[in-house]
Amino acid sequence: MAPRPPWGGGGWGRAEGLGRYLCDQRITHLIDATHPFAAQISRNADAACHEAGVPMLMLRRPAWQAGPGWTRVADIAGAVAALPVTPAQVFLAIGKQTLAPFAALPHRWLLRLVDAPDVAPLPHAEVVIARGPFDVAGDRALMQAHGITHLVAKNSGGAGASAKLQAARDLGICVIMIDRPPAPDRPQVAAPAQALDWLHQTTPRGV
């Protein structure tokens, strides 16, 4: 069972709370395996580890490599600017937390979410509720059914969410890919086995 944070006001999401937990529980190492776009959590973990003197490792799956027809942008604002000014059919595959900046654009949106939203997330949006992993054939059929012309995605990497990229390539759909935010300056590995190796190398023998 995961430990329940004994503090309020944001708990794990705040550097102060995590720092107290590291000290109180005598944590000796921290592996940050959060989503590559959970930048604030990673910054807070980095600050807490600096304060507590705890070694920290970043476990990050490799980013997707740019393919034909990709436009790479630095952030959400860049994705908004990269979309055309005339109406298009856009598959907005970025979750539901960062949709607001797209609301003023004249497009029709396809959103695929894990949970149904309480309110309409965007004007002229159709929401599909589904949980991955997805396959290329299914994503290709989804995009064809909605006449998608543009795909906006975050470069989260991994195989579970990559089917939409191959489907977009098959259909000649423009891909706008949002780069990952900067990560803390910490050692970084791509696989859990490498994280275990790091623990073995940095932990005293017999512990």
Side-chain angles (χ1 to χ4, degrees):
M1 177 182 294
R4 186 170 68 87
W7 54 83
W12 294 109
R14 294 183 180 275
E16 297 83 358
L18 179 56
R20 286 197 299 274
Y21 184 83
L22 294 176
C23 293
D24 292 346
Q25 301 298 316
R26 299 181 181 179
I27 300 298
T28 62
H29 294 71
L30 185 145
I31 297 174
D32 176 9
T34 54
H35 192 279
F37 282 81
Q40 187 60 57
I41 295 177
S42 294
R43 287 194 293 268
N44 289 343
D46 178 57
C49 286
H50 272 302
E51 183 67 23
V54 171
M56 174 178 163
L57 177 74
M58 309 288 292
L59 175 55
R60 290 288 184 271
R61 57 197 179 215
W64 294 316
Q65 298 303 303
W70 282 30
T71 297
R72 289 181 54 187
V73 296
D75 50 26
I76 292 293
V80 171
L83 284 168
V85 296
T86 54
Q89 301 286 124
V90 182
F91 184 6
L92 203 52
I94 60 172
K96 62 181 180 181
Q97 302 301 323
T98 51
L99 296 175
F102 296 89
L105 297 178
H107 309 310
R108 300 195 70 85
W109 309 100
L110 172 63
L111 310 176
R112 183 163 62 190
L113 306 175
V114 173
D115 301 304
D118 295 328
V119 296
L122 284 175
H124 311 298
E126 182 166 350
V127 178
V128 174
I129 305 302
R131 185 184 297 273
F134 304 102
D135 59 54
V136 175
D139 277 0
R140 190 166 50 235
L142 178 69
M143 294 184 196
Q144 286 179 310
H146 291 270
I148 296 301
T149 59
H150 294 73
L151 167 67
V152 179
K154 295 178 176 178
N155 197 337
S156 56
S162 65
K164 59 182 176 285
L165 303 178
Q166 183 60 53
R169 182 179 301 176
D170 293 344
L171 298 172
I173 290 170
C174 299
V175 175
I176 298 171
M177 185 61 64
I178 302 170
D179 286 340
R180 297 176 176 187
D185 185 17
R186 295 282 186 169
Q188 187 169 139
V189 297
Q194 294 171 305
L196 290 176
D197 288 341
W198 175 79
L199 281 176
H200 296 156
Q201 293 165 6
T202 57
T203 304
R205 291 183 182 275
V207 175

